[in-house]
Amino acid sequence: KAGVTQTPRYLIKTRGQQVTLSCSPISGHRSVSWYQQTPGQGLQFLFEYFSETQRNKGNFPGRFSGRQFSNSRSEMNVSTLELGDSALYLCASSLVGSSGNTIYFGEGSWLTVV
Amino acid sequence: AQSVTQLGSHVSVSEGALVLLRCNYSSSVPPYLFWYVQYPNQGLQLLLKYTTGATLVKGINGFEAEFKKSETSFHLTKPSAHMSDAAEYFCAVRGSSNTGKLIFGQGTTLQVKP
């Protein structure tokens, strides 16, 4: 079956703009999480959505937001972009509710802010 | 709070040599532990996971890891390194089965010399 799909794969934005990234989870997966990966900070958890509700949130400013739709697809938005927002943004999906569920990652969206 | 420490940001081995990547975790609840691999310009691929049961876990590509509760460790090993193993490796912990949130170590870059 299809894996986690993220779009777009690459994008360049200007400081002050906003960006929306999209994620389609594996079919049947209801949990979607987002991570930011940078050389300096590594992999950091942004937030998790389950059944259209945010149930976990990392330590990021309010400029970072997300949502999940009824079909489990998710989007994340970053407003008022800063140079430091340049990163690889990874989406992950999983089943929840039973032990040992694997968390599957997409290929990521590379965001460059200039 | 859970945390993960990977000892050594860079590990270099010769082709055919033993690979040992170290991971120690801190968790106030029984941990779910994962190793992921990331190849250049790609997302994260699951190598193996520990949930409950057998403490020696076998994964893909000949990798395995042993969960040692007394040492709070989950080191990754492979008996014989191959050039294709060169990548970045991440250890991660999930606090419970009912969350998609992973806490990652800083990653270890594995270099394989011919």
Side-chain angles (χ1 to χ4, degrees), chain A residues 67-78:
Chain A
R67 60 178 176 168
Q68 187 180 35
F69 302 95
S70 58
N71 61 359
S72 293
R73 190 177 69 86
S74 177
E75 291 181 346
M76 67 162 284
N77 182 276
V78 187

Side-chain angles (χ1 to χ4, degrees), chain A residues 18-113:
Chain A
Q18 73 164 10
V19 66
T20 299
L21 308 178
S22 180
C23 173
S24 293
I26 291 172
S27 178
H29 287 192
R30 294 167 61 192
S31 168
V32 174
S33 300
W34 289 89
Y35 294 81
Q36 182 196 64
Q37 185 177 21
T38 59
Q41 299 300 316
L43 279 155
Q44 293 187 287
F45 172 78
L46 280 158
F47 30 64
E48 178 195 7
Y49 286 87
F50 179 75
S51 293
E52 303 178 63
T53 300
Q54 186 183 90
R55 66 174 188 176
N56 278 300
K57 189 177 190 304
N59 189 25
F60 279 82
R63 300 185 297 107
F64 292 81
S65 63
R67 60 178 176 168
Q68 187 180 35
F69 302 95
S70 58
N71 61 359
S72 293
R73 190 177 69 86
S74 177
E75 291 181 346
M76 67 162 284
N77 182 276
V78 187
S79 63
T80 319
L81 284 166
E82 301 176 0
L83 295 179
D85 297 332
S86 295
L88 175 64
Y89 290 88
L90 291 164
C91 173
S93 77
S94 69
L95 293 167
V96 289
S98 62
S99 62
N101 291 325
T102 298
I103 298 175
Y104 297 90
F105 284 81
E107 293 290 294
S109 292
W110 288 93
L111 171 64
T112 301
V113 182

Side-chain angles (χ1 to χ4, degrees), chain A residues 9 31 33 35 37 40-41 43 45 48 55-56 88 90 96-103 105-107 110, chain B residues 32 34 36 38 41-46 49 51-52 88 90 94 97-106:
Chain A
R9 288 294 318 278
S31 168
S33 300
Y35 294 81
Q37 185 177 21
Q41 299 300 316
L43 279 155
F45 172 78
E48 178 195 7
R55 66 174 188 176
N56 278 300
L88 175 64
L90 291 164
V96 289
S98 62
S99 62
N101 291 325
T102 298
I103 298 175
F105 284 81
E107 293 290 294
W110 288 93
Chain B
Y32 296 89
F34 303 80
Y36 285 88
Q38 186 176 36
N41 299 318
Q42 294 188 23
L44 300 176
Q45 180 183 5
L46 179 72
K49 63 181 181 182
T51 55
T52 58
E88 189 159 21
F90 293 93
R94 182 165 65 173
S97 63
N98 291 325
T99 174
K101 177 182 178 181
L102 289 173
I103 298 167
F104 285 91
Q106 284 298 101

Side-chain angles (χ1 to χ4, degrees), chain B residues 18-87:
Chain B
L18 171 72
V19 175
L20 171 60
L21 305 182
R22 299 177 187 274
C23 171
N24 287 88
Y25 70 91
S26 171
S27 178
S28 57
V29 297
Y32 296 89
L33 295 160
F34 303 80
W35 275 101
Y36 285 88
V37 61
Q38 186 176 36
Y39 298 100
N41 299 318
Q42 294 188 23
L44 300 176
Q45 180 183 5
L46 179 72
L47 280 175
L48 49 78
K49 63 181 181 182
Y50 169 79
T51 55
T52 58
T55 56
L56 182 62
V57 181
K58 294 188 184 299
I60 63 171
N61 302 337
F63 285 93
E64 61 182 37
E66 186 172 10
F67 171 66
K68 291 187 176 180
K69 184 177 178 180
S70 61
E71 299 178 6
T72 60
S73 69
F74 190 56
H75 301 330
L76 182 70
T77 61
K78 181 174 181 178
S80 177
H82 192 273
M83 297 296 290
S84 61
D85 294 327

